[in-house]
Amino acid sequence: MTITKVTAKDLFRAAYENRYTWDKNFPGYSAEITYKYEDQSIKGIARINQDLKAEVLGIDDDHAQKAIHNQLWETSIHRVRRSFDDTHGANTFSYGDTDETGRVEILVGGKSAGDKYKLSNNEVCLVCRHINGVLVTINTFASYNTGEGYLSCRYDSVYHDPKTGEQRGDKSNFSDEYQKVGNYFILSRRIISTGIVGETLPQEFIFENIQLSGISV
């Protein structure tokens, strides 16, 4: 009996297509946002439109405005549904090592040569990508199965110089919670701790009264 090994490309494709994304009918949404940082608690309105562009309303504080907008933007770009071939059609894939926990390394060649991923249980649990001259590494420690794909809910991110390997800035730890509104899972809470845990105050983003645009839920 001949056993055919799954190719690295097919294994990675399956994990890529298992991510939770919003479909083409996503209408956008708005929410009341509370941003907590240091001794401040700032409230306003957060909105992601149907075209996935983000808006922050009712907040004058520049730091808070930028912080909230950045998280809305980060959320929306990871919910965009693109086909595997559109995203990775110019790349090649090969197997790397399998670590002691069973996570399988996928090495990327072609257009994105030098990038790599790790897969576990049909999910991408490590991303290591070159973005705008920086090496970005994201390790995922916990995820949530929506029934329509998985969402990372506990992970960290760190930046390095791709040539020297020197770390740029502090590592950030993320903890996310999601709420199902209508047919869509929406971020309802995010806590970001940057630097040494316990020595720096976290940023907290709380999204309440989430309403899909043009739809009564």
Side-chain angles (χ1 to χ4, degrees), residues 5 11 14 48 61 82 89 100 106 112 152 177 193-195 197-198 216:
K5 184 178 181 180
L11 193 72
I48 292 182
D61 183 278
R82 294 191 182 96
E100 65 278 2
I106 302 294
S112 300
S152 298
E177 297 176 13
S193 301
T194 301
V197 176
S216 298

Side-chain angles (χ1 to χ4, degrees), residues 39-80:
D39 60 348
Q40 301 182 75
S41 180
I42 299 173
K43 296 180 180 291
I45 299 296
R47 180 182 296 158
I48 292 182
N49 297 316
Q50 188 175 28
D51 61 5
L52 302 185
K53 291 183 179 179
E55 293 182 276
V56 181
L57 308 172
I59 293 178
D60 296 326
D61 183 278
D62 288 341
H63 171 80
Q65 170 88 216
K66 183 177 180 180
I68 296 167
H69 190 277
N70 284 347
Q71 297 313 309
L72 292 173
W73 177 78
E74 287 280 353
T75 298
S76 64
I77 63 172
H78 286 98
R79 299 289 83 79
V80 174

Side-chain angles (χ1 to χ4, degrees), residues 10-205:
D10 286 344
L11 193 72
F12 182 61
R13 180 197 293 269
Y16 175 91
E17 293 177 346
N18 189 36
R19 300 170 307 124
Y20 175 77
T21 55
W22 293 326
D23 62 26
K24 64 181 181 180
N25 297 317
F26 175 71
Y29 71 90
S30 62
E32 297 170 3
I33 170 68
T34 301
Y35 172 61
K36 296 182 178 181
Y37 180 63
E38 295 181 339
D39 60 348
Q40 301 182 75
S41 180
I42 299 173
K43 296 180 180 291
I45 299 296
R47 180 182 296 158
I48 292 182
N49 297 316
Q50 188 175 28
D51 61 5
L52 302 185
K53 291 183 179 179
E55 293 182 276
V56 181
L57 308 172
I59 293 178
D60 296 326
D61 183 278
D62 288 341
H63 171 80
Q65 170 88 216
K66 183 177 180 180
I68 296 167
H69 190 277
N70 284 347
Q71 297 313 309
L72 292 173
W73 177 78
E74 287 280 353
T75 298
S76 64
I77 63 172
H78 286 98
R79 299 289 83 79
V80 174
R81 183 170 296 183
R82 294 191 182 96
S83 74
F84 181 83
D85 289 337
D86 283 347
T87 303
H88 291 290
N91 294 330
T92 61
F93 302 91
S94 60
Y95 284 110
D97 297 327
T98 299
D99 67 22
E100 65 278 2
T101 67
R103 301 190 305 173
V104 178
E105 186 178 48
I106 302 294
L107 306 176
V108 182
K111 183 178 180 180
S112 300
D115 290 357
K116 65 180 180 180
Y117 300 86
K118 285 188 177 182
L119 311 180
S120 178
N121 297 320
N122 201 30
E123 297 180 6
V124 178
C125 55
L126 179 138
V127 175
C128 190
R129 293 184 58 202
H130 295 78
I131 302 175
N132 297 326
V134 178
L135 185 62
V136 181
T137 303
I138 301 172
N139 258 302
T140 298
F141 307 106
S143 62
Y144 172 66
N145 182 1
T146 68
E148 304 168 41
Y150 73 92
L151 285 163
S152 298
C153 57
R154 190 166 60 84
Y155 51 98
D156 65 26
S157 69
V158 65
Y159 300 87
H160 291 89
D161 185 297
K163 294 182 179 179
T164 67
E166 181 181 357
Q167 184 171 319
R168 293 186 178 179
D170 292 324
K171 179 182 289 187
S172 293
N173 292 274
F174 295 77
S175 177
D176 291 350
E177 297 176 13
Y178 288 86
Q179 175 184 339
K180 190 171 187 181
V181 182
N183 294 324
Y184 301 96
F185 287 87
I186 307 292
L187 181 70
S188 59
R189 186 171 183 242
R190 171 170 287 173
I191 299 174
I192 306 174
S193 301
T194 301
I196 301 173
V197 176
E199 294 187 10
T200 55
L201 292 174
Q203 300 179 75
E204 185 173 7
F205 304 82

